[in-house]
Amino acid sequence: MTATDHDPHALLAQSRLGILATIKADGRPQLSPIMPFYDREANVILISTREGLAKTANLRRDPRVSLEVTGPDGRSWATAEGVATLTGPGTDPHGPEVEALVDYYRRAAGEHPDWAEYRESMVADRRVLLTIPVDHVYGAKI
């Protein structure tokens, strides 16, 4: 298999489970399983998470991040690197922080059956949107 047979961008776009690596205060990596959405056209990864988790605290201190996804058979992988921005958490179900999460949901999954419930949940859960403009992508198929 040659390098041209594998498109790491396509694998990122297809994957709904990955491992996000952030940097702990002591410099070691902290790994978190996440459900990413990769907008290939915009070259940006979006992830919904919660305030107070290790990854969120790490990114508020050092926004550098890597995401790895693997193919279903485990024989292909792609890694994306970038610098994350965090939006939220919001306190108003109709505020800009929650609107960003609504936009993320629409892009990743389509229309929600109950937007009022979704908005209230985003506030109650202290949801944060990670936006990662992708600086570098690499991967392989073995």
Side-chain angles (χ1 to χ4, degrees), residues 88-142:
T91 57
D92 175 359
H94 296 282
E97 300 88 354
V98 175
E99 287 301 322
L101 288 159
V102 167
D103 179 60
Y104 153 78
Y105 189 98
R106 281 189 168 127
R107 292 167 73 183
E111 290 300 314
H112 191 278
D114 186 340
W115 283 114
E117 175 196 21
Y118 177 85
R119 290 169 184 281
E120 291 294 332
S121 292
M122 296 303 100
V123 172
D125 291 350
R126 302 189 71 226
R127 283 276 160 186
V128 174
L129 180 65
L130 305 183
T131 303
I132 307 165
V134 176
D135 297 331
H136 184 64
V137 175
Y138 55 95
K141 184 171 185 170
I142 52 174

Side-chain angles (χ1 to χ4, degrees), residues 3-15 38 40 69 77-80 137-140:
T4 59
D5 293 324
H6 176 66
D7 180 359
H9 291 273
L11 184 56
L12 278 170
Q14 296 164 1
S15 297
Y38 177 55
R40 187 172 182 169
V69 298
W77 58 273
T79 299
V137 175
Y138 55 95

Side-chain angles (χ1 to χ4, degrees), residues 14-62:
Q14 296 164 1
S15 297
R16 292 298 173 257
L17 183 62
I19 302 296
L20 186 74
T22 60
I23 303 168
K24 295 180 186 183
D26 68 3
R28 291 182 296 158
Q30 190 271 327
L31 305 174
S32 301
I34 52 89
M35 295 187 309
F37 171 72
Y38 177 55
D39 181 335
R40 187 172 182 169
E41 189 173 307
N43 200 32
V44 66
I45 296 167
L46 302 172
I47 301 164
S48 175
T49 189
R50 292 186 325 273
E51 187 66 28
L53 297 179
K55 65 181 154 284
T56 308
N58 292 341
L59 289 170
R60 290 201 186 281
R61 188 184 55 262
D62 184 338

